[in-house]
Amino acid sequence: MKAVRFHEYGGLEVLKFEEAPKPEAGASEVLVRVHASSVNPIDWKIRAGHLRGFREYPLPFILGWDVSGVIESVGPGVTQWKAGDEVFGRPDLARPGAYAEYVAVREGEIARKPAALDYIQAAAIPLAGLTAWQALFDVAELKPGQRVLIQAAAGGVGSLAVQFAKLKGLYVAGTASGRNQDFLKELGVDQPVNYETTRFEDVVHDMDAVIDALGGEIRTRSWKTLKKGGILVALLGGPPSEEGAKELGVRQTVMWVKPNPAELTEIGDLAASGKIRVILDSVFSLQDAARAHERSQTEHARGKIVLKVEDQVGNHG
Ligand SMILES: NC(=O)c1ccc[n+]([C@@H]2O[C@H](COP(=O)([O-])OP(=O)(O)OC[C@H]3O[C@@H](n4cnc5c(N)ncnc54)[C@H](OP(=O)(O)O)[C@@H]3O)[C@@H](O)[C@H]2O)c1
């Protein structure tokens, strides 16, 4: 099959569009013919070697932990899926991903793709959508009427988190550059904050939770926006130092997104029914994965960056 792989860690130039062995569906797995994948920041962080020491990948390796496509075949023991089913999901980050014509995934890592969602939209949802959902509702356990600050609210995770939070009746503050202030209002942000002109902790107060997709000093500054007992959910960085947070009486935790077909189905239905919008920053062909990484590396994507696979490699008609 055709795939984009890297044989060594490094810059954009290490991504190669080339022939690679077609995977097979093992026990409790399905083989998906990929229509689209997406680029998440972790992809280029891994490619550049930033996560070495934390996780080693066998080289050459295929990135890409969002997939939408059609089941080609099922492995032994699979009962809930059959060839021809349209699915979307988030493959396991420890295994080869979906910058390829085919990817093998566990049956519990996918959900049925709603017919009303096209493959491009569907590939934009799983990793970012599950992250946003789990941070807001599983980890912070936010309830209607509560208040949340969403850092990087215009990004892949943030643009979905804002919409989920508004649907659930939360008050939402969100940060972005000046360029994205109108966009945040369109998404439904009650209190948009322009980080280029305003220190968010000067104007955002009494939050029940912060979803922090930025880390570093943003994390420690974010504590000040929380009410006592409020929680900061960090999406990146190591275990948070308790010093400082404890003094302010706030809690914090680092979360890592988990597969959850029921939540993915719910999010897919929200998108299919138009209750949330999937925001596409850009769509690249699989061959242009390096350009897609370059875009993600700016750290200024608005919504998601998607890789279109199917008719790029000419095998799905
Ligand atoms: N723990 C997990 O399971 C998990 C899962 C998914 C993602 N993550 C992590 O979460 C982070 C966000 O992911 P993503 O996919 O949403 O990334 P992304 O789409 O690349 O985020 C880009 C957004 O960040 C905003 N931004 C950049 N600097 C900012 C600042 N100082 N203040 C506020 N906004 C700022 C940009 O807005 P402007 O252009 O307006 O600056 C842009 O819209 C990444 O580091 C990713 O690795 C973790």
Side-chain angles (χ1 to χ4, degrees):
M1 66 169 182
K2 287 280 188 287
V4 169
R5 303 194 293 182
F6 65 102
H7 294 247
E8 57 183 326
Y9 294 98
L12 298 172
E13 70 287 352
V14 302
L15 292 174
K16 305 285 183 213
F17 180 68
E18 60 188 12
E19 279 297 321
K22 183 175 168 182
E24 284 177 10
S28 305
E29 292 178 8
V30 303
L31 184 68
V32 179
R33 200 176 76 199
V34 181
H35 280 241
S37 184
S38 99
V39 173
N40 291 286
I42 194 164
D43 300 7
W44 55 260
K45 291 176 190 172
I46 289 172
R47 187 215 72 221
H50 297 335
L51 272 68
R52 293 189 77 179
F54 171 67
R55 182 175 274 155
E56 286 297 324
Y57 288 93
L59 300 181
F61 192 74
I62 302 173
L63 299 161
W65 291 293
D66 279 308
V67 63
S68 65
V70 178
I71 293 184
E72 176 87 358
S73 59
V74 302
V78 173
T79 51
Q80 58 168 320
W81 300 111
K82 60 179 188 324
D85 287 345
E86 298 185 338
V87 296
F88 69 138
R90 196 220 68 165
D92 184 345
L93 270 92
R95 292 162 33 115
Y99 290 10
E101 287 183 273
Y102 296 92
V103 64
V105 297
R106 297 190 189 97
E107 56 180 338
E109 291 164 350
I110 50 174
R112 195 169 298 279
K113 180 185 82 62
L117 268 191
D118 65 34
Y119 288 106
I120 299 287
Q121 291 174 304
I125 290 177
L127 194 147
L130 286 171
T131 302
W133 192 273
Q134 291 171 7
L136 291 165
F137 308 126
D138 298 346
V139 181
E141 299 183 286
L142 288 167
K143 302 284 181 293
Q146 289 193 299
R147 295 158 60 84
V148 62
L149 167 62
I150 296 171
Q151 299 284 11
V157 174
S159 61
L160 286 168
V162 167
Q163 297 182 78
F164 297 157
K166 289 311 300 173
L167 267 182
K168 293 275 173 169
L170 300 171
Y171 175 91
V172 178
T175 56
S177 64
R179 182 182 79 91
N180 277 322
Q181 294 301 296
D182 286 344
F183 175 61
L184 293 194
K185 286 181 207 151
E186 278 166 34
L187 287 176
V189 173
D190 300 288
Q191 187 181 3
V193 180
N194 177 352
Y195 66 77
E196 293 170 314
T197 57
T198 310
R199 286 177 72 81
F200 61 82
E201 65 273 36
D202 291 344
V203 294
V204 178
H205 302 292
D206 294 323
M207 293 288 125
D208 293 287
V210 177
I211 309 302
D212 174 26
L214 294 164
E217 55 131 25
I218 301 282
R219 190 194 275 182
T220 45
R221 286 169 50 199
S222 293
W223 295 337
K224 298 177 189 146
T225 68
L226 286 165
K227 58 171 68 154
K228 276 214 179 346
I231 185 165
L232 181 142
V233 183
L235 301 182
L236 73 171
S241 118
E242 291 303 326
E243 225 177 292
K246 264 200 182 139
E247 269 170 39
L248 293 166
V250 300
R251 298 171 293 146
Q252 46 178 355
T253 186
V254 180
M255 77 151 252
W256 189 248
V257 61
K258 297 187 185 73
N260 188 319
E263 289 179 345
L264 190 52
T265 300
E266 193 170 350
I267 297 167
D269 289 346
L270 290 174
S273 64
K275 292 194 173 124
I276 60 157
R277 276 197 299 145
V278 177
I279 309 294
L280 296 179
D281 175 85
S282 42
V283 180
F284 293 88
S285 69
L286 181 62
Q287 288 95 322
D288 284 337
R291 281 181 53 218
H293 274 214
E294 190 174 35
R295 175 67 186 145
S296 180
Q297 284 173 211
T298 65
E299 300 188 293
H300 293 293
R302 178 189 284 176
K304 288 290 307 176
I305 301 166
V306 171
L307 286 178
K308 189 167 155 55
V309 176
E310 101 280 26
D311 55 7
Q312 299 302 318
V313 287
N315 68 331
H316 306 332

